Amino acid sequence: MTTMRAVDIEGGKGPVSALHIANIPRPKPTGAQALVKVKAFGLNRMDLIQRIGEYTLPPQAPATLGVEFSGIIEELGDAPERDFKIGDKVFGLAYGGAYAEYIAVSTHMLVHKPDELSWEQCAGIPETWITATQAIYLISHFAPGKSILWHAGASSVSIAGIQLTVADGASAVYATARSDEKCDFAIKELGATAAFNTRTSDWVDEVMKATGGKGVDVIIDFIGADYFQQNLNAIAKDGAIVILGWLSGDQIKDGLDLSAFIRQRCTVSGSSLRSRDEEYQGKLRNQLVEHALPRFLDGRFNVIIDKVLPWESIQEAHQLLEDNKTKGKIVCTIGS
């Protein structure tokens, strides 16, 4: 078989209505790659940006959407990791191509699927949990005893990050969200210390009250421009702000007060995962396997899935994510 079905975008970019399933060439695994028959794939906000043509792809990424998946190895290249063989059930992270019946992906980015977790759960782990791991431990240098704030507290990365930092000894874990329902979710379901509704309260004031005027040690931000000054106002001395997205835009408004950089001795870092090389991503995969996977198996960590849809409903799936009303992952399944 030289072709396969995959989600395509009519005209190469466009609105939700441009998504459809088409026949494209089936990839061939080479070197350390495996060819995986996809059972399920997770959706991420970057998929929406890529769909409309505003995401700069890394050079090794195929045009097909999707970076996380679960499935069964059907074929191997000539130099795979020794731990993987044909027939293995796996899940993993890719540079792209997961919205398809088959994906060619490095075995360095695969994880053996535990029997205790479903195909859908495994498809919702790689991108979000590895992104959270990177932000916490490699970028912000979070350590036990520090306080942390997760913006967009009901988003998939923050769901992972709140659970990780609660488990790893944060002195306090805060979150922001745009509804009371999502704030309650962050506290009651994920274990956050407190969560602040950004529509009905001044979250900076709330953070300062909660921390006794000290501010928070680490802020993980996906909002971008609208929160840049507020992040500076809420950060503690020697704190770290990590920017992972710009949902409110990438242009900072006039009147930015830069004094916090000196007054608070804070750092602001930006990061992405998809642009990282395979060696870097492989180390994060190993950290996921060693640090988080055992906690999924014993129930301390949960993969929160908002909706599972057949991949034929890909337009509905993208619309759900675009409407920003979900709590957790949207996952699509392929076949039975």
Side-chain angles (χ1 to χ4, degrees):
M1 182 168 53
T2 59
T3 63
M4 66 176 182
R5 293 185 301 158
V7 175
D8 201 2
I9 308 167
E10 187 175 356
K13 62 179 180 180
V16 168
S17 59
L19 294 171
H20 65 283
I21 295 175
N23 286 314
I24 68 170
R26 174 173 160 172
K28 177 76 176 174
T30 60
Q33 289 183 328
L35 183 73
V36 177
K37 182 175 176 60
V38 176
K39 299 286 286 185
F41 58 84
L43 273 65
N44 292 282
R45 199 157 292 277
M46 74 176 82
D47 302 344
L48 307 184
I49 302 171
Q50 183 178 337
R51 191 199 71 223
I52 62 176
E54 295 183 4
Y55 193 101
T56 302
L57 293 176
Q60 64 272 59
T64 303
L65 297 165
V67 297
E68 59 183 353
F69 61 91
S70 60
I72 301 171
I73 295 177
E74 284 217 352
E75 192 177 338
L76 292 166
D78 56 14
E81 279 193 12
R82 287 176 297 175
D83 287 347
F84 293 98
K85 64 184 185 300
I86 292 172
D88 282 353
K89 299 175 181 179
V90 295
F91 64 99
L93 185 66
Y95 289 107
Y99 286 26
E101 289 181 310
Y102 295 89
I103 185 171
V105 61
S106 172
T107 51
H108 302 311
M109 288 309 300
L110 291 178
V111 178
H112 288 286
K113 175 189 172 297
D115 290 338
E116 294 90 341
L117 299 178
S118 69
W119 294 113
E120 293 83 1
Q121 288 174 308
C122 287
I125 291 173
E127 168 66 20
T128 49
W129 284 80
I130 290 177
T131 295
T133 296
Q134 176 194 222
I136 297 165
Y137 305 110
L138 300 188
I139 310 301
S140 77
H141 304 296
F142 167 85
K146 289 187 175 183
S147 59
I148 189 165
L149 169 69
W150 293 88
H151 286 309
S155 68
S156 295
V157 175
S158 288
I159 286 171
I162 291 168
Q163 292 182 76
L164 282 164
T165 45
V166 166
D168 287 349
S171 61
V173 179
Y174 303 109
T176 66
R178 301 180 71 189
S179 72
D180 289 340
E181 180 188 4
K182 290 183 176 182
C183 288
D184 290 343
F185 167 77
I187 297 167
K188 295 175 182 177
E189 299 294 326
L190 306 177
T193 309
F196 313 115
N197 186 334
T198 58
R199 289 181 183 270
T200 60
S201 68
D202 184 326
W203 68 264
V204 175
D205 283 349
E206 296 295 337
V207 165
M208 299 309 286
K209 290 175 188 174
T211 59
K214 174 180 178 281
V216 70
D217 295 315
V218 177
I219 296 175
I220 310 296
D221 180 37
F222 311 88
I223 310 302
D226 284 358
Y227 281 12
F228 195 89
Q229 182 67 65
Q230 292 170 289
N231 288 336
L232 293 175
N233 295 342
I235 198 69
K237 278 188 168 55
D238 301 310
I241 301 167
V242 180
I243 299 175
L244 299 179
W246 54 89
L247 292 174
S248 66
D250 57 4
Q251 300 299 308
I252 298 171
K253 297 173 182 177
D254 293 340
L256 177 67
D257 178 6
L258 297 176
S259 64
F261 285 101
I262 298 172
R263 187 178 67 253
Q264 298 301 89
R265 304 188 299 265
C266 67
T267 60
V268 177
S269 304
S271 190
S272 67
L273 179 61
R274 197 174 185 182
S275 61
R276 301 286 189 171
D277 62 32
E278 190 176 300
E279 181 181 2
Y280 180 97
Q281 293 194 10
K283 289 177 180 177
L284 283 166
R285 176 209 60 176
N286 294 342
Q287 191 165 354
L288 173 75
V289 170
E290 296 163 6
H291 188 65
L293 194 57
R295 301 183 192 187
F296 288 119
L297 302 186
D298 67 19
R300 284 178 289 171
F301 287 168
N302 292 309
V303 186
I304 308 293
I305 296 176
D306 190 279
K307 190 87 170 178
V308 175
L309 293 165
W311 76 319
E312 291 86 356
S313 299
I314 189 62
Q315 291 187 8
E316 180 184 348
H318 265 237
Q319 192 63 58
L320 281 169
L321 192 59
E322 207 162 83
D323 289 344
N324 201 31
K325 295 178 180 177
T326 56
K327 298 189 296 293
K329 296 294 297 188
I330 298 172
V331 174
C332 286
T333 56
I334 299 179
S336 57

